Every structure is written in structure tokens, then in C-alpha cells.
């Protein structure tokens, strides 16, 4: 099932001509399937996760594992002065299986953009170190991957002289909270008079939400700890662009021995974030760098099994970043292309169609939907149609993760 229009691709890296590339634990491995030209293409995406952390926590090492871009992983602060950007595929075996069924000349996986942002020090909110640059870069991201050092190594210096991931977390939290408090107080100054003396209900609600954020920030809590149940309130809050309101995943960088179960540092971080709306992931960045050096999937898998891990930390991190943004995937597939399309959880069919092209949403008529398991079981769109496994859905249908979609639309000239 394919959309009526194939869009031009921005990124077309050359991998293995005339062969099928499988995703395994965040890496590519090759299995031969004769094809007419290069198989995988990348779709450009604006969704962006920023990797942040104090100097020497393993941030750039982790970025190097995630991306083909090579940041200089040097043992001194600010070795990554300009943010390095990598467009990273989201591992998805469903895409692989669909492509194996239809054998198209092109496969386009979902992607997330990862940015390695320069480290910061105390006083970044006042411009210390690379603070101003750091804060500007982090404001542009959709979510934060906060790397915390949870390992001991005398050969890797720490800017504060000792390993304490909770202290390190609080340093960055405080710098971001200071900037957010400045933003909130500035917005309050602008809206307060209008909210208290005028009849503008929206201004009054904006003021009330800002007051909640100010109270939390003044008490040392991040903006994400303020819970807004009303969708309209969340929409208003989004316009504040607060740094500490961004979704965050704390990445605990551990030694190899702690890669599976974590350690006392990880336990301390888990306790510290228990009241935050945040995720936690344990990764051994140095070990991930070693895994990335293996030439093939089988060697990497053997290494992981020896460590008692089912999949690499890189793969888990990519999936977690995708999930962090509450993103899901639907597919279009056929003889020309198999493609993963990213959408926000809860999106209805017309808006999902608009991700392909705005005309699809404007002229939306209906969506023909095949469940992924049915497509794999019956082996083709035609077989699914014959078996009565194609559902016809209208504008109120909420697209589900893994749906295979065919949109019918009409735009009058």
C-alpha cells in the first residue's frame, strides 16, 4: 500500500548496492537479495534530541556510537565546541519484514536527529564556560538526553574532582532552571496587568500557568514537574519554550561490569528523579564503542551475549529517544517503496495523511488500514483484501502504531 506521491529524499547515503540491509541492535548487517539499486534511503526529520552533560561524562563517546559523525572525544572540557549532528535510524524489525515481503528498490526508516551539544560548567546561565552557546543549542531541541557519569576511572578527570551523578544532574538542572525562571518572570511582567485588570480569559489563564511554573522553579524544581491535565493548558505552556519542560531521558554511563544491572550511582540517580516525569537508561558508552568496532552483526551479538545483554545500549537509547517524544510509526509499502512514517501518539487519520503531503489531509476521504500482523501473515495487500483484512476508516480514526496505511483523497483544483 503506497501513497499516491513519492517525495524526494534529502539524505541518500550509499551502503550496500544490490543487497538487503537488516537492522540488528542498532546496527546494519547485510543479507543478499538482488535489487536494482541502493536499498535504504533516509527521510529528513526535524525532530531533534540534544545530548547534554558536564565535560568528560562520556557524552561524545556515546554520540560517536550513535552516529557516523565523529566528535572529538578528548579528555578535556569543551572539546565539542560546535554541536555535531547525526541523523539516526530508529531500529524497527517490522520495516525489515515488510521490505522482505514486497522487495522494493527503496526502504526509508524513521529517523531521529541527535545533536552533541558542548558541555557546560557552573554559571552557564550567566555565560560562564560555553554557557550561552549551550543554552541556545538546547533550546532548539525537542528532547534532552542527559548523560551522567556513573563510573570510576582515575584516568578520566572530573571537573569537580569526584564522581557524583546526582550533584552533576543538579548543576545542569540549576542552570536551566535559572534561565527558565528569567523567561517566566519576563512573561509574567508582560501579561500580569492584562490578566488582572482586563477581561481577557486567555491572558488570565496564561498568568495562572506561569505562576505555577514560577512557584516550582523558585523551589528548585524543573518545569516538567508541573502537571497540566488540560490540553489547552499544555498548548499554552508549550509556547513558553521552557528548557526544563522538555522531555528528558537520563543516560547513566557506567563501566562494563555494571552494564546489565547498574550500580550504586545509578540507584542514587533513580532515587533523585523518582518524582520527575523522566526516563532512565543504563549504558556503558566505552563498551558500546568497542561493540561498534566489530565488523558484523554475529560478532556483536556474541559480545552482547557474553555480557548478558539482549541488545546494545545504542539500540535501546535510540528506541527510548523515539518513545520519549511519544512518537509512533505507521507504514506504507508496495513494489516501489517501503517506508516508516513518524507521527505523534493519538494522531487521527487526516493528520497522519498530512505527514506525507498537505494535500492528503486537505482532501482526505478515507483511510484503508491493514494491521501489521495481518500483512505479514497473508503476505500481500491483495491477499489481505481477499481475506477481508482491510478496514475502511474515516476522519475520526486514531492511527495505531504499526498500521499499514493507504489514504484516499481528492483535492479539487
Amino acid at each position: 500500500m503506497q501513497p499516491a506521491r513519492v517525495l524526494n529524499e534529502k539524505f541518500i547515503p550509499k551502503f550496500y548496492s544490490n543487497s538487503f540491509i537488516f537492522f540488528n541492535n542498532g546496527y546494519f548487517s547485510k543479507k543478499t537479495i538482488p535489487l536494482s539499486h541502493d536499498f535504504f534511503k533516509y527521510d529528513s526529520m526535524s525532530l531533534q534530541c540534544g545530548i547534554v552533560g558536564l565535560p568528560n561524562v562520556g557524552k561524545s563517546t556515546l554520540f560517536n556510537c550513535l552516529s557516523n559523525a565523529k566528535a572529538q572525544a578528548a579528555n578535556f572540557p569543551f572539546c565539542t565546541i560546535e554541536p555535531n549532528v547525526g541523523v539516526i535510524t530508529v531500529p524497527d524489525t517490522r520495516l525489515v519484514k515488510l521490505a522482505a515481503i514486497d522487495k522494493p528498490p527503496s526502504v526509508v526508516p524513521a529517523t531521529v536527529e541527535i545533536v552533541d551539544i558542548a558541555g557546560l560548567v557552573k554559571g552557564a546561565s550567566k555565560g560562564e564556560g560555553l554557557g550561552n552557546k549551550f543554552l541556545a543549542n538546547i533550546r532548539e531541541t525537542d528532547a534532552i538526553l542527559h548523560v551522567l557519569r556513573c563510573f570510576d576511572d582515575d584516568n578520566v578527570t572530573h571537573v569537580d574532582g569526584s564522581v557524583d551523578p546526582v550533584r552533576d544532574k543538579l548543576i545542569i538542572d540549576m542552570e536551566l532552571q535559572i534561565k527558565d525562571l528569567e523567561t517566566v518572570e519576563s512573561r509574567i511582567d508582560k501579561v500580569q496587568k492584562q490578566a488582572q485588570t482586563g477581561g481577557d480569559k486567555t491572558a488570565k489563564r496564561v498568568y495562572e500557568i506561569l505562576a505555577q511554573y514560577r512557584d516550582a522553579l523558585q523551589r528548585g524544581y524543573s518545569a516538567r514537574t508541573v502537571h497540566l491535565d488540560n490540553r489547552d493548558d499544555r498548548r499554552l505552556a508549550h509556547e513558553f519554550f521552557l528548557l526544563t519542560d522538555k522531555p528528558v531521558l537520563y543516560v547513566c554511563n557506567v563501566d562494563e561490569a555494571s552494564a546489565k544491572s547498574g550500580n550504586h550511582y545509578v540507584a542514587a540517580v533513580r532515587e533523585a528523579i523518582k518524582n520527575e516525569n523522566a526516563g532512565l537508561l543504563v549504558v556503558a558508552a566505552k563498551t558500546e564503542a568497542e561493540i561498534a568496532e566489530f565488523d558484523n552483526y554475529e560478532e556483536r551479538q556474541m559480545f552482547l551475549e557474553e555480557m548478558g545483554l539482549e541488545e546494545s545500549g545504542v539500540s535501546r537509547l535510540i528506541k527510548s529517544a523515539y518513545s520519549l517524544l511519544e512518537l509512533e510509526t505507521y507504514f506504507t509499502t508496495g513494489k516501489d517503496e517501503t517506508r516508516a512514517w513518524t507521527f505523534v501518539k493519538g494522531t487521527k487519520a487526516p493528520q497522519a495523511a498530512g505527514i506525507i503531503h498537505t494535500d492528503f489531509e486537505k482532501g482526505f476521504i478515507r483511510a484503508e488500514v491493514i494491521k501489521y500482523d495481518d500483512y505479514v501473515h497473508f503476505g500481500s495487500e491483495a491477499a489481505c483484501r481477499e481475506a477481508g483484512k482491510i478496514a475502511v476508516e474515516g476522519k475520526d480514526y486514531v492511527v495505531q502504531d504499526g498500521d499499514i496505511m493507504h489514504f484516499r483523497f481528492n483535492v479539487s483544483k
Side-chain angles (χ1 to χ4, degrees), residues 49-265:
C49 293
I51 300 183
V52 305
L54 292 176
N56 296 342
V57 297
K59 185 169 56 71
S60 294
T61 300
L62 186 61
F63 177 83
N64 287 343
C65 297
L66 285 166
S67 171
N68 287 327
K70 295 296 183 182
Q72 179 189 2
N75 183 22
F76 56 89
F78 316 138
C79 65
T80 313
I81 296 177
E82 293 298 328
N84 287 276
V85 181
V87 178
I88 298 166
T89 61
V90 179
D92 196 329
T93 57
R94 297 172 302 180
L95 185 73
V96 172
K97 289 182 180 179
L98 291 175
I101 290 171
D102 290 322
K103 298 180 176 59
S106 171
V107 174
V108 185
T111 60
V112 173
E113 193 172 275
I114 304 291
V115 183
D116 182 11
I117 298 174
L120 83 164
V121 294
K122 290 179 182 178
S125 60
K126 305 301 181 184
E128 295 292 332
L130 295 174
N132 289 331
K133 181 177 287 290
F134 172 92
L135 294 165
N137 289 330
I138 197 172
R139 196 178 295 278
E140 296 173 359
T141 64
D142 298 293
I144 299 170
L145 307 178
H146 187 165
V147 182
L148 296 168
R149 176 172 171 175
C150 295
F151 65 91
D152 294 307
D153 188 339
D154 293 337
N155 294 319
V156 181
T157 60
H158 191 290
V159 289
D160 285 322
S162 62
V163 177
D164 187 342
V166 174
R167 176 201 59 207
D168 295 351
K169 168 192 175 304
L170 292 176
I171 289 173
I172 289 186
D173 283 352
M174 185 178 297
E175 298 304 328
L176 300 183
Q177 288 166 9
I178 290 171
K179 295 304 292 186
D180 276 351
L181 187 57
E182 291 176 4
T183 299
V184 166
E185 289 179 336
S186 176
R187 293 291 293 265
I188 285 177
D189 289 341
K190 293 177 182 178
V191 78
Q192 185 171 11
K193 184 176 180 180
Q194 185 181 6
Q196 294 178 342
T197 62
D200 191 330
K201 293 182 179 179
T202 300
K204 182 179 180 180
R205 188 56 189 150
V206 166
Y207 174 77
E208 291 170 347
I209 295 171
L210 286 167
Q212 291 183 61
Y213 281 129
R214 179 176 61 184
D215 179 62
L217 291 164
Q218 287 176 338
R219 290 187 293 118
Y221 294 110
S222 294
R224 71 180 66 88
T225 63
V226 175
H227 299 289
L228 301 174
D229 296 326
N230 184 286
R231 179 177 293 182
D232 291 336
D233 286 352
R234 292 196 296 271
R235 179 182 56 81
L236 291 172
H238 181 71
E239 296 175 1
F240 305 154
F241 299 105
L242 299 180
L243 299 172
T244 63
D245 199 31
K246 295 178 183 293
V248 62
L249 176 69
Y250 292 102
V251 182
C252 293
N253 183 18
V254 300
D255 54 35
E256 181 176 328
S258 305
K260 183 177 180 180
S261 303
N263 54 29
H264 68 285
Y265 292 130

Side-chain angles (χ1 to χ4, degrees), residues 6 11 228 240 322 408:
V6 177
F11 301 101
L228 301 174
F240 305 154
Y322 197 66
R408 301 291 186 180

